[in-house]
Amino acid sequence: MAFLQAEQLEALAIEKMIFHVIGPDENELLLLEEIDPGPFSDFFLSRIKSVNNGIMFDFIAGSGVLTSLRTITADRSSFSQESKQLATLFKQHHGGNTSKGVFLMFLLSAGNDRFHALIKYDHQTVLSYEIEDRENAHYAMLQQLQDTFVQSPEALQKSAIIGLTDAGGALCVRDRGKPMGITHYFRAFLGAQRRFTESDLTNQLAEVTQAVAKQYGDDLSTEVKKALRQRLYDTLQTHTGFDPSESESFLTSVYGPLPEDSRIRTAF
């Protein structure tokens, strides 16, 4: 289930943004000041929205992240200082084999709702070029860019969208280092625990799969309908995990090939 609903995604906006440079070496932490993303807001919102089908977590007692976010909620002027404390905390949990990048923090709005987002974004080396005209010929001049924000999903290493509640807060988390779960140090930094066990999620996946097949049975072949339970069982046994953003192989394995505009695909 998506963390933010469709209408919230549509209305999502950045109210505050800041990032700090962070790396694996002991002295690699450069704390910066708040910035206005301006014309680049859509770029960062797209990265945040890509987290929306992540794994659900809940804060545990004593979470430093929860404490900082509650402070920001009570006093928005504390955003910059609290972000620096969280970047420092993240650095303390940061693994020694991780890549240099930036720790981003956002205060978001969607109508009357408020959310937070935390992202570790890895730097990737990029080559750019300029065309130079010389002696009636065109030459490409290459330049290496190192400190960059790129659209590649691989650059978005660790990310969380967070909604605070009276009891604590709910987190939607993605971790490229462990796609079907979360690395130990990111969980320790967040101070959170997974909401559902793998068994819970497997049961929910099976229930949804069968409910969709029942609702749109006319769209399935007779062969698939007769063997649906066995196909589902075999698929659950052979797939190492389920990523909502990469569900095509699961859908094909259970339901067979589906057209792009399939009602089954949409309902699932």
Side-chain angles (χ1 to χ4, degrees):
M1 180 181 292
F3 183 70
L4 300 177
Q5 301 307 305
E7 59 273 15
Q8 292 175 318
L9 286 174
E10 182 68 25
L12 199 65
I14 297 173
E15 294 197 353
K16 285 181 172 294
M17 171 183 173
I18 195 168
F19 68 87
H20 309 288
V21 182
I22 194 167
D25 295 340
E26 185 176 351
N27 62 345
E28 286 188 292
L29 177 61
L30 179 61
L31 301 177
L32 305 175
E33 299 303 321
E34 183 179 343
I35 64 170
D36 181 353
F40 306 109
S41 291
D42 286 345
F43 175 90
F44 291 106
L45 284 172
S46 293
R47 308 286 80 72
I48 294 169
K49 291 176 182 179
S50 71
V51 185
N52 197 45
N53 286 322
I55 301 172
M56 291 301 300
F57 279 73
D58 296 293
F59 283 119
I60 60 176
S63 167
V65 171
L66 175 59
T67 299
S68 286
L69 298 186
R70 286 205 180 283
T71 299
I72 293 169
T73 300
D75 179 9
R76 290 165 58 98
S77 67
S78 67
F79 176 78
S80 178
Q81 182 57 37
E82 291 298 325
S83 78
K84 294 175 182 178
Q85 292 184 21
L86 288 181
T88 302
L89 179 63
F90 184 84
K91 170 65 179 172
Q92 292 171 358
H93 291 281
H94 206 245
N97 61 344
T98 53
S99 303
K100 183 177 179 179
V102 297
F103 175 85
L104 297 108
M105 183 169 170
F106 301 87
L107 177 60
L108 307 166
S109 64
N112 294 324
D113 300 320
R114 294 294 180 271
F115 301 95
H116 302 266
L118 303 174
I119 294 175
K120 165 63 190 322
Y121 212 110
D122 278 3
H123 287 324
Q124 293 187 354
T125 300
V126 176
L127 292 181
S128 68
Y129 67 90
E130 293 182 0
I131 302 300
E132 186 175 292
D133 296 330
R134 297 200 308 257
E135 300 174 356
N136 298 320
H138 304 296
Y139 293 83
M141 310 301 294
L142 295 175
Q143 180 181 4
Q144 179 172 298
L145 305 177
Q146 290 185 317
D147 298 340
T148 59
F149 291 108
V150 297
Q151 290 187 352
S152 169
E154 298 304 317
L156 205 66
Q157 280 301 314
K158 306 194 182 302
S159 45
I161 305 175
I162 303 166
L164 298 184
T165 65
D166 292 339
L171 305 89
C172 183
V173 177
R174 294 184 73 88
D175 190 334
R176 290 286 172 184
K178 194 174 181 181
M180 300 305 164
I182 184 174
T183 50
H184 174 75
Y185 90 78
F186 193 38
R187 183 176 67 249
F189 161 71
L190 292 172
Q193 62 185 3
R194 190 164 179 163
R195 180 175 296 181
F196 302 112
T197 66
E198 291 185 4
S199 178
D200 291 333
L201 293 171
T202 300
N203 291 335
Q204 289 187 23
L205 184 59
E207 289 174 6
V208 167
T209 302
Q210 293 178 91
V212 170
K214 182 177 181 180
Q215 183 176 4
Y216 296 108
D218 292 344
D219 295 358
L220 296 172
S221 68
T222 301
E223 178 187 355
V224 168
K225 285 189 287 188
K226 285 183 177 180
L228 183 70
R229 287 184 178 274
Q230 186 63 47
R231 291 172 69 99
L232 175 58
Y233 175 82
D234 292 342
T235 301
L236 291 173
Q237 295 301 308
T238 56
H239 280 61
T240 57
F242 178 77
D243 184 344
S245 66
E246 300 176 0
S247 60
E248 191 60 33
S249 64
F250 180 89
L251 294 175
T252 301
S253 181
V254 177
Y255 299 125
L258 297 172
E260 194 62 34
D261 59 350
S262 168
R263 297 186 299 172
I264 288 176
R265 186 190 304 277
T266 302
F268 182 89

